[in-house]
Each structure stands twice: as C-alpha cells, then as structure tokens.
Amino acid sequence: MDRAELIARLTPIIATYAQDKDAVASINETTDFIKDLKINSANLVDVILDVEEEFDIEIDNLSMERMLNVSAAMEIIEDKLKTK
Amino acid sequence: MIGNDIVDLVQAAIDSNWKRKGYLDKIFNSEEQFMITSGIHPSMIIWLLWSMKESAYKIYSREAKLREFAPLKLQCSNLIIHNDTATGNVSYENELYYTESYFDEHYLHTIASTKLEELGKVEIKITDHALFDYKKTKPASVSHHGAYLALVYL
C-alpha cells in the first residue's frame, strides 16, 4: 500500500472524530490529532479501534502511546502491516 | 502543580460508546474495569476514572514537556466515593497524584496534585463554555469539554 492510499483510508476515520472540520480539509502528515483536529482525548481510543478494524491490525500499548499525529499513525500502520 | 479535568456527561454520552468492543481494555486495567462493572453506575465510574487520569496526566505532561497517549500507564487506586464527591490516587511514571472529584447529573470535575494539602487550597470556577477572556485571570489549570469550562486557581 502506498502512502497516498494509506492516508486516503486513514482520513475518513480521523474526520469522524475531528471537531475542527476545517482542519480536516487540509490533513497532511504533520497534522496533530489533538492540537490541529481538536479530537477529544476520549475519542483517540475510537481512532485506534477504527484503525485496527480498517487495516485488520492490532495496535499495542507502546504504539498507541505515540499515535498523536498523522505521520506517527502512518508509521505504526505500515509497521504492523509488514509484520502481519 | 495542579491539574484539572471536566467531563460534560451529556456530551460524553453522545461522543463515546464505551460499550464498544475493546474500548475499556485500551484505557482501564483489570482492577479499574472491576470497579466499573461491579457498581450500578458504570458510566459514572468510567468518567470518574478517566478524569482522574486526565487531570494527573496534565500535570505530568506540563512538567515533563512530553505528550503521550498512555491511559493504561495512569493507574487509579484508593478510590473512595461519597454522595457527590470522590477521592483517589493516580500513579504514573513513579509519581503519585492525589485527586478530588465532584459530580452531579450534568458534569464531573476532578482536580489533581502531587501534594495532598494543595487540593484544599484551590479555588474552582466552573461556568458554561462562554467566550470570556479567562486567560487574563491567570488560572493554574484549564479544562473544557462540551458545555463547560473549568478553571482552577491556586
């Protein structure tokens, strides 16, 4: 899966929980889930569960700790897909 | 240093489905899940434990200048619930935080500190989430969620 496809599959998931809908339009790898998209921290769990379902992977606690922005999420997904 | 966290219970019920498969396992350890499932108000205990973790995390992240999403590393213990208040501890990265919470049917609010005596000294102001320039009032900790804005002064 190339990065464009990955971000295209990731975007609708994070858009669901983003409170700043304008920031969703300009999502890129540097976008921060909390600071930019204003995702509520309780909804970060939903982002992680949705990502697990969408990509059929399991995100361990250590990975979850750093999944605070788009680039970290992409790295984690790519990494988990490789070891599947 | 003081931390605080407010949960708008109506907003939380709309935004979060804690009954979703895997949800509780990502946030709460087995002892915390036992506290949640053994009572008659599981959702209240969920948001109580959550706000304890959040308020302690806010102190840690400010001091360590480090951000992470590690709800399982923040461990709640010694939770005692009265009518509309609760006290407890949160441990995180070898640090112990004391917490005090207040709740009614609309919201739940928790303050945390590494010093137990500091909790009794704080002034708490909870308002609806109106646009006023609270930064001028120099709060020690700010939390907003849903319809509420919580400010804590030392």
Side-chain angles (χ1 to χ4, degrees):
Chain A
M1 192 184 318
D2 62 25
R3 291 179 85 79
E5 190 191 340
L6 209 160
I7 206 164
R9 283 173 67 182
L10 185 60
T11 300
I13 294 174
I14 49 188
T16 309
Y17 305 103
Q19 290 181 53
D20 189 333
K21 300 294 178 194
D22 293 336
V24 173
S26 56
I27 280 179
N28 59 63
E29 292 192 24
T30 65
T31 305
D32 189 282
F33 290 163
I34 294 171
K35 286 182 185 162
D36 298 323
L37 299 171
K38 313 278 186 257
I39 295 178
N40 187 297
S41 49
N43 285 133
L44 278 183
V45 182
D46 292 294
V47 171
I48 285 151
L49 292 170
D50 285 358
V51 165
E52 288 187 333
E53 281 170 21
E54 170 67 23
F55 296 94
D56 191 25
I57 53 175
E58 195 184 320
I59 295 169
D60 58 285
N61 295 334
L62 263 175
S63 301
M64 182 168 104
E65 284 173 16
R66 58 186 188 92
M67 210 166 125
L68 293 166
N69 56 58
V70 172
S71 71
M74 289 173 71
E75 245 173 59
I76 291 161
I77 295 165
E78 281 176 331
D79 186 46
K80 300 291 173 197
L81 285 173
K82 259 183 233 159
T83 55
K84 227 166 81 161
Chain B
M1 202 182 269
I2 200 105
N4 96 111
D5 187 63
I6 192 153
V7 178
D8 179 331
L9 294 169
V10 176
Q11 192 70 42
I14 296 167
D15 290 345
S16 294
N17 172 22
W18 57 265
K19 289 179 180 155
R20 175 176 188 183
K21 188 173 177 286
Y23 191 89
L24 295 182
D25 290 336
K26 295 273 190 213
I27 306 177
F28 301 108
N29 65 33
S30 52
E31 282 168 49
E32 292 163 349
Q33 288 191 41
F34 180 75
M35 291 184 227
I36 291 163
T37 52
S38 60
I40 50 168
H41 293 297
S43 63
M44 194 55 130
I45 306 297
I46 284 171
W47 298 120
L48 175 58
L49 294 172
W50 173 262
S51 73
M52 287 167 67
K53 290 177 187 233
E54 278 278 303
S55 54
Y57 168 75
K58 281 179 187 171
I59 299 173
Y60 171 83
S61 64
R62 226 182 305 150
E63 279 184 339
K65 296 195 172 32
L66 198 100
R67 294 171 67 219
E68 62 176 12
F69 184 58
L72 285 167
K73 274 166 54 177
L74 290 136
Q75 300 186 324
C76 300
S77 59
N78 294 337
L79 181 63
I80 300 168
I81 302 172
H82 303 282
N83 291 331
D84 55 4
T85 57
T87 57
N89 298 143
V90 179
S91 61
Y92 186 44
E93 302 284 8
N94 297 323
E95 186 73 74
L96 183 70
Y97 301 89
Y98 298 91
T99 66
E100 267 181 30
S101 309
Y102 168 83
F103 50 88
D104 62 19
E105 66 267 42
H106 306 292
Y107 70 82
L108 191 156
H109 181 249
T110 297
I111 51 174
S113 175
T114 48
K115 300 189 200 82
L116 184 58
E117 65 275 12
E118 202 170 54
L119 291 178
K121 292 182 195 156
V122 300
E123 187 195 334
I124 300 167
K125 183 179 164 72
I126 293 169
T127 67
D128 51 18
H129 198 158
L131 287 171
F132 85 94
D133 194 2
Y134 64 80
K135 279 179 188 153
K136 273 187 205 152
T137 66
K138 297 197 166 47
S141 177
V142 180
S143 173
H144 36 79
H145 182 231
Y148 298 101
L149 171 67
L151 305 165
V152 171
Y153 301 90
L154 262 178

